[in-house]
Coordinates of all heavy atoms in Angstrom, one line a residue:
P210 N -2.0 -11.7 4.9 CA -2.1 -11.4 3.5 C -2.7 -10.0 3.3 O -3.5 -9.6 4.0 CB -3.0 -12.4 2.9 CG -3.9 -12.7 4.1 CD -3.1 -12.7 5.4
I211 N -2.0 -9.2 2.4 CA -2.5 -7.8 2.2 C -2.9 -7.6 0.7 O -3.7 -6.7 0.5 CB -1.4 -6.9 2.5 CG1 -1.9 -5.4 2.7 CG2 -0.2 -7.0 1.5 CD1 -2.7 -5.2 3.9
E212 N -2.5 -8.5 -0.2 CA -2.8 -8.2 -1.6 C -2.5 -9.5 -2.4 O -1.5 -10.2 -2.2 CB -1.9 -7.1 -2.1 CG -2.2 -6.6 -3.6 CD -1.4 -5.4 -4.0 OE1 -0.4 -5.2 -3.3 OE2 -1.7 -4.9 -5.0
N213 N -3.4 -9.7 -3.4 CA -3.1 -10.9 -4.3 C -3.2 -10.3 -5.7 O -3.9 -9.4 -6.1 CB -4.1 -11.9 -4.1 CG -4.0 -13.1 -5.1 OD1 -4.7 -13.1 -6.2 ND2 -3.1 -14.0 -4.8
S214 N -2.3 -10.8 -6.6 CA -2.1 -10.4 -7.9 C -3.4 -10.6 -8.8 O -3.7 -9.9 -9.8 CB -0.9 -11.0 -8.6 OG -1.1 -12.4 -8.6
S215 N -4.3 -11.5 -8.4 CA -5.4 -11.9 -9.1 C -6.7 -11.2 -8.4 O -7.5 -10.7 -9.1 CB -5.6 -13.3 -9.3 OG -4.6 -14.0 -10.0
A216 N -6.8 -11.5 -7.1 CA -8.0 -11.1 -6.4 C -8.0 -9.7 -5.8 O -9.0 -9.1 -5.3 CB -8.4 -12.0 -5.3
G217 N -6.8 -9.1 -5.9 CA -6.7 -7.6 -5.4 C -6.3 -7.6 -3.9 O -5.9 -8.5 -3.3
S218 N -6.6 -6.4 -3.4 CA -6.2 -6.1 -2.0 C -7.2 -6.8 -1.0 O -8.3 -7.0 -1.3 CB -6.3 -4.6 -1.6 OG -5.3 -3.9 -2.4
V219 N -6.6 -7.1 0.1 CA -7.4 -7.7 1.3 C -7.9 -6.6 2.2 O -7.2 -6.3 3.1 CB -6.6 -8.8 2.1 CG1 -7.5 -9.5 3.0 CG2 -6.0 -9.9 1.1
M220 N -9.0 -6.1 1.8 CA -9.5 -4.9 2.5 C -9.7 -5.1 4.0 O -9.6 -4.2 4.8 CB -10.8 -4.4 1.9 CG -10.6 -3.8 0.4 SD -9.4 -2.5 0.5 CE -9.4 -2.0 -1.3
A221 N -10.1 -6.3 4.4 CA -10.4 -6.6 5.8 C -9.1 -6.4 6.7 O -9.1 -5.9 7.8 CB -10.8 -7.9 6.0
V222 N -7.9 -6.7 6.0 CA -6.6 -6.5 6.8 C -6.3 -5.0 6.8 O -5.8 -4.5 7.9 CB -5.5 -7.4 6.0 CG1 -4.2 -7.0 6.7 CG2 -5.8 -8.8 6.1
Y223 N -6.6 -4.3 5.7 CA -6.4 -2.8 5.8 C -7.2 -2.2 6.9 O -6.8 -1.4 7.7 CB -6.7 -2.2 4.5 CG -5.6 -2.2 3.5 CD1 -5.6 -2.9 2.4 CD2 -4.5 -1.3 3.7 CE1 -4.6 -2.9 1.4 CE2 -3.5 -1.3 2.8 CZ -3.5 -2.1 1.7 OH -2.4 -2.1 0.7
D224 N -8.5 -2.7 7.0 CA -9.4 -2.1 8.1 C -8.8 -2.5 9.5 O -8.9 -1.6 10.4 CB -10.8 -2.8 7.9 CG -11.5 -2.2 6.7 OD1 -11.1 -1.2 6.2 OD2 -12.5 -2.9 6.3
L225 N -8.3 -3.7 9.6 CA -7.7 -4.0 10.9 C -6.4 -3.3 11.2 O -6.1 -2.9 12.4 CB -7.4 -5.5 10.9 CG -8.7 -6.4 11.0 CD1 -8.3 -7.9 10.7 CD2 -9.3 -6.4 12.3
M226 N -5.7 -2.9 10.2 CA -4.5 -2.1 10.3 C -4.9 -0.7 10.9 O -4.1 -0.2 11.8 CB -3.7 -1.9 9.0 CG -2.9 -3.1 8.5 SD -1.5 -3.5 9.6 CE -0.5 -2.0 9.5
K227 N -5.9 -0.2 10.5 CA -6.4 1.1 11.0 C -6.9 1.0 12.4 O -6.8 1.9 13.2 CB -7.5 1.7 10.1 CG -8.0 3.1 10.4 CD -9.0 3.6 9.4 CE -9.5 5.0 9.8 NZ -10.2 5.0 11.0
K228 N -7.6 -0.1 12.7 CA -8.2 -0.3 14.0 C -7.2 -0.7 15.0 O -7.4 -0.1 16.2 CB -9.2 -1.6 13.9 CG -9.9 -1.9 15.2 CD -10.9 -3.1 15.0 CE -11.5 -3.5 16.3 NZ -12.4 -4.7 16.1
H229 N -6.2 -1.4 14.7 CA -5.2 -1.7 15.8 C -3.9 -0.9 15.6 O -3.6 -0.4 14.5 CB -4.9 -3.2 15.6 CG -6.0 -4.1 15.9 ND1 -6.2 -4.7 17.2 CD2 -7.0 -4.6 15.1 CE1 -7.3 -5.4 17.1 NE2 -7.8 -5.3 15.9
N230 N -3.2 -0.8 16.7 CA -2.0 0.1 16.7 C -0.7 -0.8 16.3 O 0.0 -1.2 17.2 CB -1.8 0.7 18.1 CG -2.9 1.7 18.4 OD1 -3.3 2.5 17.5 ND2 -3.4 1.6 19.6
C231 N -0.7 -1.2 15.1 CA 0.4 -2.0 14.6 C 1.1 -1.4 13.4 O 0.5 -0.6 12.7 CB -0.1 -3.4 14.3 SG -0.7 -4.4 15.8
Y232 N 2.3 -1.9 13.1 CA 3.0 -1.3 12.0 C 3.6 -2.4 11.1 O 3.9 -3.5 11.6 CB 4.2 -0.4 12.4 CG 3.8 0.8 13.2 CD1 3.7 0.8 14.6 CD2 3.4 1.9 12.6 CE1 3.4 1.9 15.3 CE2 3.0 3.1 13.3 CZ 3.0 3.0 14.7 OH 2.6 4.1 15.4
I233 N 3.7 -2.2 9.8 CA 4.3 -3.1 8.9 C 5.9 -3.0 9.0 O 6.4 -1.8 8.9 CB 3.9 -2.8 7.4 CG1 2.4 -2.9 7.2 CG2 4.6 -3.8 6.5 CD1 1.9 -2.5 5.9
V234 N 6.6 -4.1 9.3 CA 8.0 -4.0 9.4 C 8.7 -4.8 8.3 O 10.0 -4.7 8.2 CB 8.4 -4.5 10.8 CG1 7.9 -3.6 11.9 CG2 7.9 -5.9 11.1
K235 N 8.0 -5.6 7.6 CA 8.6 -6.4 6.5 C 7.5 -6.9 5.7 O 6.4 -7.1 6.1 CB 9.4 -7.6 7.1 CG 10.4 -8.3 6.1 CD 11.7 -7.6 6.0 CE 12.7 -8.4 5.2 NZ 14.0 -7.8 5.2
S236 N 7.8 -7.3 4.4 CA 6.8 -7.9 3.5 C 7.5 -8.9 2.7 O 8.7 -8.8 2.4 CB 5.9 -6.9 2.8 OG 6.7 -6.3 1.8
C237 N 6.6 -9.8 2.1 CA 7.2 -10.7 1.1 C 6.1 -11.1 0.1 O 5.0 -11.1 0.3 CB 7.7 -12.0 1.8 SG 6.5 -13.2 2.4
K238 N 6.7 -11.5 -1.1 CA 5.8 -12.0 -2.1 C 5.9 -13.5 -2.2 O 7.0 -14.1 -2.2 CB 6.1 -11.4 -3.5 CG 5.6 -10.0 -3.7 CD 5.8 -9.6 -5.1 CE 5.3 -8.2 -5.4 NZ 5.6 -7.7 -6.8
L239 N 4.8 -14.2 -2.2 CA 4.8 -15.6 -2.2 C 4.0 -16.2 -3.4 O 2.8 -15.7 -3.6 CB 4.1 -16.2 -0.9 CG 4.3 -17.6 -0.6 CD1 5.6 -18.0 -0.2 CD2 3.3 -18.0 0.6
R240 N 4.7 -16.9 -4.2 CA 3.9 -17.5 -5.4 C 2.9 -18.5 -4.9 O 3.3 -19.4 -4.1 CB 4.9 -18.1 -6.3 CG 4.2 -18.5 -7.7 CD 5.1 -19.1 -8.7 NE 4.3 -19.3 -9.9 CZ 4.8 -20.1 -10.9 NH1 6.1 -20.5 -10.9 NH2 4.1 -20.3 -12.0
V241 N 1.7 -18.3 -5.3 CA 0.6 -19.2 -4.7 C 0.2 -20.1 -5.9 O -0.3 -19.7 -7.0 CB -0.6 -18.3 -4.3 CG1 -1.7 -19.2 -3.9 CG2 -0.2 -17.4 -3.1
Q242 N 0.3 -21.4 -5.7 CA -0.1 -22.4 -6.6 C -1.1 -23.3 -5.9 O -0.8 -24.0 -5.0 CB 1.2 -23.2 -7.1 CG 2.1 -22.5 -7.9 CD 3.3 -23.3 -8.3 OE1 4.1 -23.7 -7.5 NE2 3.5 -23.4 -9.6

Side-chain angles (χ1 to χ4, degrees):
I211 196 73
E212 183 179 16
N213 177 264
S214 56
S215 300
S218 295
V219 186
M220 290 303 181
V222 173
Y223 274 110
D224 289 342
L225 290 167
M226 285 295 295
K227 184 176 180 297
K228 178 180 177 181
H229 295 268
N230 297 316
C231 294
Y232 297 96
I233 303 172
V234 295
K235 194 88 169 178
S236 70
C237 73
K238 277 187 179 179
L239 191 70
R240 188 176 185 189
V241 175
Q242 293 178 297

